[in-house]
Amino acid sequence: MNRAIIEVTVKNKYEKSFQKGYPLIHKDAIVENELEGKEGAILHLKSAHGKWIAKGYYGIQNKGIGWALTIDQQVDIDVSFFKQKLEKALSKRKSFFTDPNTTAFRVFNGEGDGIGGLTIDYFDGCYLMQWYSLGIYSYKEEVLEAFEQVVDYQAIYEKKRFDHKGQYIEDDDFVKGTRPTFPIIVKENGMHYAVYLNDGAMVGIFLDQREVRQAIREKYANGKHVLNTFSYTGAFSVAAALGGARKTTSVDLAKRSKPKTVEQFEVNGIDVAAQDIVVMDVFDYFKYAKRKGFTFDMIILDPPSFARSKKRTFSTAKDYPMLLKEAVAILEEDGFIVASTNNASFGMNKFKGFIEKAFREMNASYKILEEFSLPADFQTISAYPEGNYLKVVILQRTS
């Protein structure tokens, strides 16, 4: 495929960051160019004096207008380029492929593995490719050709996440191979999760929280009454129940969260009747719990970065301290909070500041027990700290 090659001039103050490996091309970083309608075009980034800086592609996603892929002027962005990147990524995950207790993980993590805008996850023989711009999606045939040269697979699925509002595009997500029977029951550190690769934007589990679920099961859940807020399909609740929780309460506003959570309990042999699954706005549930005098030994807070319901709008960057205060109000003395966010717009220090603010305003004290960021399969690079978006703090209330 012959692609347009567009020379773009990088503004002086951004040159060094690209030279050091910063991969995201922000609109503000380049001198104005007429790029509209040219998604997938090869970009040659040059200085104001015409000096070579990097090569990338044009693809609009919510973070920028494209990604730098190489500083080598001689490298072509073709099948062999993608093959080399895929081989390198797969070699870093060898230990995951040989672990019989974990059969779901990330095999390619966008810019962390050298191609911003593309992620690939593994689910027990099936692969899921996620495309975050029309620009990278235009390379689909080259990526698939390279992929088939390095991987054996049962099936390949995809999620297209590049409509005009950055949302998932509803489609038959099957690409090629043999369609499996859903759900696929994957293993994660010996726990089981039901996964659907062809049922909307989400598959049923967030793979980046694997280490947090393991910690909940192995260190914190035993004997506890655990409240899992924004519970989605109840993956944290499963980990808590398998870790010996006295009881779990899962709360999510989405109606389908209840049957999905029931299914996750059932594939693990957990007695569903012994657990509570509540379809309710989380903030309404906090009010309800206070009114009823409910308290919890452990509360899990993993909200979406931004959510809007009929009653309210929630943004982690603005509202996380308020969420924490609601949790502290119904937390037992010596109880635990698992505070989590995937918002890339702020770092761990600011997140800890939210925790400090909430406890101070509630006249409560705490100690931090553990912190988590992305696991090893979610490869990141130091030149792009925003890529290490996950921040999890496990803390204990102290008297």
Side-chain angles (χ1 to χ4, degrees):
M1 180 178 178
N2 289 325
R3 295 183 180 273
I5 296 174
I6 304 171
E7 292 198 356
V8 294
T9 302
V10 174
K11 293 176 183 175
N12 289 340
K13 67 177 181 178
Y14 294 98
E15 279 184 39
K16 279 189 179 174
S17 63
F18 284 119
Q19 288 165 349
K20 290 177 180 176
Y22 187 82
L24 183 60
I25 305 171
H26 290 281
K27 189 175 183 181
D28 294 344
I30 63 170
V31 175
E32 199 61 44
N33 265 75
E34 184 51 58
L35 293 171
E36 195 171 334
K38 294 173 182 169
E39 296 243 358
I42 299 289
L43 300 182
H44 287 181
L45 279 59
K46 297 190 173 181
S47 72
H49 304 293
K51 183 183 174 186
W52 176 264
I53 296 174
K55 182 183 291 189
Y57 74 88
Y58 177 61
I60 297 174
Q61 63 183 84
N62 58 353
K63 300 171 183 173
I65 63 163
W67 295 90
L69 299 175
T70 178
I71 58 172
D72 189 339
Q73 193 169 355
Q74 306 307 315
V75 169
D76 292 322
I77 312 304
D78 56 11
V79 172
S80 63
F81 172 82
F82 291 117
K83 182 182 177 184
Q84 180 259 324
K85 294 293 184 186
L86 289 165
E87 284 177 329
K88 188 174 180 182
L90 288 162
S91 71
K92 290 179 178 177
R93 277 85 171 177
K94 277 182 183 174
S95 62
F96 287 92
F97 282 101
T98 57
D99 182 355
N101 292 312
T102 296
T103 59
F105 47 90
R106 179 148 293 184
V107 297
F108 196 92
N109 194 42
E111 72 288 338
D113 284 300
I115 305 171
L118 170 68
T119 65
I120 307 173
D121 294 324
Y122 175 80
F123 297 97
D124 197 20
C126 298
Y127 289 85
L128 176 67
M129 296 182 171
Q130 301 195 71
W131 313 91
Y132 287 88
S133 73
L134 186 57
I136 190 62
Y137 190 68
S138 73
Y139 290 88
K140 175 180 172 177
E141 293 310 313
E142 291 100 317
V143 171
L144 282 174
E145 186 178 336
F147 192 71
E148 290 187 278
Q149 290 179 27
V150 297
V151 161
D152 293 323
Y153 59 87
Q154 179 186 341
I156 299 173
Y157 282 80
E158 69 181 3
K159 304 288 181 193
K160 292 175 280 190
R161 297 181 175 275
F162 50 81
D163 83 349
H164 67 290
K165 292 180 181 175
Q167 299 297 308
Y168 162 75
I169 298 171
E170 192 75 47
D171 201 353
D172 177 7
D173 294 332
F174 178 74
V175 177
K176 63 199 313 181
T178 303
R179 290 178 187 260
T181 301
F182 291 116
I184 300 170
I185 307 300
V186 299
K187 286 193 283 187
E188 180 190 273
N189 294 314
M191 297 181 280
H192 295 88
Y193 291 104
V195 170
Y196 296 80
L197 305 185
N198 203 21
D199 184 25
M202 305 299 187
V203 302
I205 187 172
F206 295 114
L207 297 177
D208 54 3
Q209 294 277 12
R210 181 178 60 252
E211 294 175 346
V212 182
R213 284 187 286 269
Q214 184 178 23
I216 288 169
R217 184 189 69 187
E218 294 183 358
K219 300 180 186 178
Y220 301 107
N222 192 37
K224 307 291 193 299
H225 186 182
V226 178
L227 173 61
N228 180 14
T229 64
F230 308 95
S231 58
Y232 181 39
T233 67
F236 285 125
S237 302
V238 166
L242 292 176
R246 179 164 43 90
K247 184 179 184 180
T248 68
T249 299
S250 306
V251 182
D252 198 290
L253 181 59
K255 285 187 173 61
R256 68 190 306 222
S257 67
K258 184 163 188 172
K260 291 286 188 183
T261 301
V262 167
E263 181 179 50
Q264 301 292 24
F265 282 138
E266 288 177 342
V267 300
N268 285 281
I270 297 165
D271 181 6
V272 178
Q275 318 300 323
D276 281 345
I277 306 170
V278 182
V279 177
M280 186 186 286
D281 179 283
V282 167
F283 289 96
D284 288 343
Y285 184 81
F286 280 128
K287 290 192 187 100
Y288 169 76
K290 277 188 267 192
R291 196 165 66 245
K292 291 286 189 179
F294 295 164
T295 58
F296 297 88
D297 307 299
M298 183 176 187
I299 301 175
I300 299 166
L301 305 173
D302 185 29
S305 291
F306 182 84
R308 180 180 281 118
S309 68
K310 289 178 183 176
K311 289 186 176 181
R312 61 177 58 81
T313 297
F314 176 85
S315 162
T316 50
K318 179 170 59 76
D319 300 320
Y320 210 108
M322 173 187 69
L323 175 65
L324 279 159
K325 285 164 68 175
E326 295 282 6
V328 171
I330 57 171
L331 183 68
E332 286 279 6
E333 288 294 333
D334 302 322
F336 300 95
I337 290 178
V338 179
S340 174
T341 180
N342 63 0
N343 191 324
S345 69
F346 55 84
M348 182 62 95
N349 285 342
K350 185 171 182 179
F351 188 48
K352 286 181 180 176
F354 292 163
I355 296 169
E356 176 65 34
K357 180 176 190 290
F359 273 82
R360 185 175 65 249
E361 291 180 4
M362 293 296 287
N363 292 315
S365 54
Y366 67 97
K367 61 181 177 182
I368 291 175
L369 304 177
E370 280 193 87
E371 299 172 25
F372 295 86
S373 56
L374 288 174
D377 50 325
F378 281 71
Q379 181 81 23
T380 59
I381 52 173
S382 58
Y384 186 63
E386 305 98 302
N388 196 359
Y389 58 83
L390 184 66
K391 294 163 283 290
V392 183
V393 175
I394 298 181
L395 58 91
Q396 184 173 25
R397 184 173 187 168
T398 56
S399 48

